[in-house]
Amino acid sequence: MSNAGTPFNYDEAFSRNIGWVTRAEQAALRGKRIAIAGMGGVGGVHLLTLARLGIGAFNIADMDTFDVVNFNRQAGASMASLGRPKAEVMAEMARDINPELDIRIFDKGVNAGNLDDFLSGVDLYVDGLDFFAFAARRDTFNACHRLGVPAVTAAPLGMGTAVLSFLPGKMSFEEYFRLDGCDEDEMAVRFLLGLSPAMLQRGYLADPSRVNFTEKRGPSTIAACQLCAGVTATESLKILLGRGKVMCAPWGLHFDAYRNRYVKTWRPGGNRNPIQQIGLFIARRQLRAMRRLEQAGKS
């Protein structure tokens, strides 16, 4: 039986959240605006998860369209959405959950020129950018730090997630990752190891040849994207409601469902930390070896 004529009611739609949040807290979440850059693997699932949490407004950014190669992990990827703009599709899906949503779409993505507008009136930024989008990510996190906007990034790693939060007045993204002056290879190494000092995902990569830094691609799973969204939604709730302890950088967390392991990470000084420097040295050697294999495969 069709329910097409059933009117939407916010309180009823999100009533099952009550208990884990109070009615007053749910009303507060309804009045919050979250910015999400990237509507792909993690960004799209972030949007739908936060919409089901009852967040009332979003700024979303993406310049890409859906392709068949997105089917394994991206919430909006389907035969019906092939070739369509990701931000447009995801906005439609979110509005199917909550027709009252206030969504601003930035269909050119994020860049240094539009970040003040993208972050205007925002209570929280959630990172959904591609791993290799270093310039856009640095610009966005720097703008968050300048404007006093809390920010969360969750990396889908193997079949787990590594999460870092950056809060106003605390260690910034740049202070933690130390990417200034680095070439792209060095940024990749510093970003990956900074996100996941424990590297729990490393032990079960079944086919290392599928990781190709030259072509900026690697394997991915929907399991990791879903875990990212669940943990990020929880961190978002705590930040937005001021409820519960938020571990912010240089603290982080890494949960790997495949290995059934959870690790709290602590790197005072971020990538400048002496223990981290040892890991970076090893990672650089591994990347150089990987580059040689990539080049050998082309010859």
Side-chain angles (χ1 to χ4, degrees):
M1 184 174 66
S2 172
N3 291 319
T6 303
F8 176 79
N9 181 286
Y10 178 94
D11 292 332
E12 185 176 352
F14 303 108
S15 62
R16 295 295 292 269
N17 290 342
I18 308 303
W20 296 113
V21 298
T22 68
R23 291 187 183 278
E25 287 173 331
Q26 187 67 66
L29 293 174
R30 187 180 189 179
K32 300 297 184 182
R33 179 179 292 274
I34 293 179
I36 308 172
M39 285 286 106
V42 292
V45 190
H46 284 325
L47 176 63
L48 300 186
T49 303
L50 292 164
R52 293 191 188 279
L53 192 62
I55 301 300
F58 295 93
N59 292 354
I60 62 173
D62 201 298
M63 65 179 76
D64 200 6
T65 57
F66 282 114
D67 193 356
V68 175
V69 296
N70 304 143
F71 278 27
N72 78 309
R73 69 198 183 284
Q74 299 195 12
S78 67
M79 293 302 295
S81 67
L82 281 177
R84 292 190 61 201
K86 292 182 180 181
E88 179 183 299
V89 171
M90 295 313 304
E92 290 175 4
M93 293 178 71
R95 289 193 181 107
D96 272 348
I97 296 168
N98 179 358
E100 297 175 354
L101 281 178
D102 177 3
I103 303 182
R104 296 182 63 202
I105 297 176
F106 291 73
D107 59 6
K108 304 300 181 185
V110 289
N111 55 67
N114 71 2
L115 278 169
D116 280 15
D117 189 23
F118 178 65
L119 296 171
S120 177
V122 161
D123 300 288
L124 174 70
Y125 169 68
V126 171
D127 181 25
L129 291 168
D130 181 80
F131 176 87
F132 292 98
F134 298 122
R137 179 173 282 108
R138 292 181 68 194
D139 286 343
T140 305
F141 275 91
N142 288 342
C144 287
H145 185 66
R146 173 171 54 83
L147 297 170
V149 176
V152 180
T153 185
L157 299 170
M159 299 177 201
T161 181
V163 183
L164 283 169
S165 296
F166 296 90
L167 301 182
K170 304 293 184 179
M171 176 177 268
S172 71
F173 180 93
E174 283 294 332
E175 289 169 337
Y176 182 84
F177 284 104
R178 304 276 171 180
L179 301 183
D180 191 40
C182 300
D183 62 21
E184 194 156 277
D185 275 0
E186 181 66 12
M187 283 194 282
V189 168
R190 292 190 182 199
F191 187 54
L192 177 60
L193 201 66
L195 280 169
S196 59
M199 290 295 287
L200 298 180
Q201 74 279 7
R202 183 176 52 196
Y204 59 90
L205 180 61
D207 185 356
S209 71
R210 302 302 291 180
V211 179
N212 191 309
F213 276 79
T214 301
E215 298 177 3
K216 298 182 179 180
R217 63 172 173 83
S220 57
T221 69
I222 185 59
C225 294
Q226 296 280 9
L227 286 167
C228 285
V231 176
T232 297
T234 305
E235 289 293 285
S236 299
L237 181 149
K238 290 161 68 177
I239 291 170
L240 294 172
L241 297 179
R243 188 182 117 181
K245 182 179 180 180
V246 176
M247 292 193 305
C248 61
W251 288 93
L253 64 89
H254 192 163
F255 171 68
D256 191 284
Y258 186 89
R259 296 186 64 189
N260 298 318
R261 287 194 60 192
Y262 167 73
V263 176
K264 288 183 182 179
T265 57
W266 184 52
R267 290 295 184 269
N271 278 332
R272 192 173 59 182
N273 183 278
I275 296 176
Q276 198 74 346
Q277 286 289 311
I278 296 171
L280 288 169
F281 175 77
I282 296 170
R284 290 184 193 107
R285 291 180 58 184
Q286 293 173 337
L287 179 58
R288 286 194 292 269
M290 191 180 303
R291 288 289 198 200
R292 287 193 292 271
L293 288 173
E294 291 172 4
Q295 291 302 316
K298 292 180 179 179
S299 60

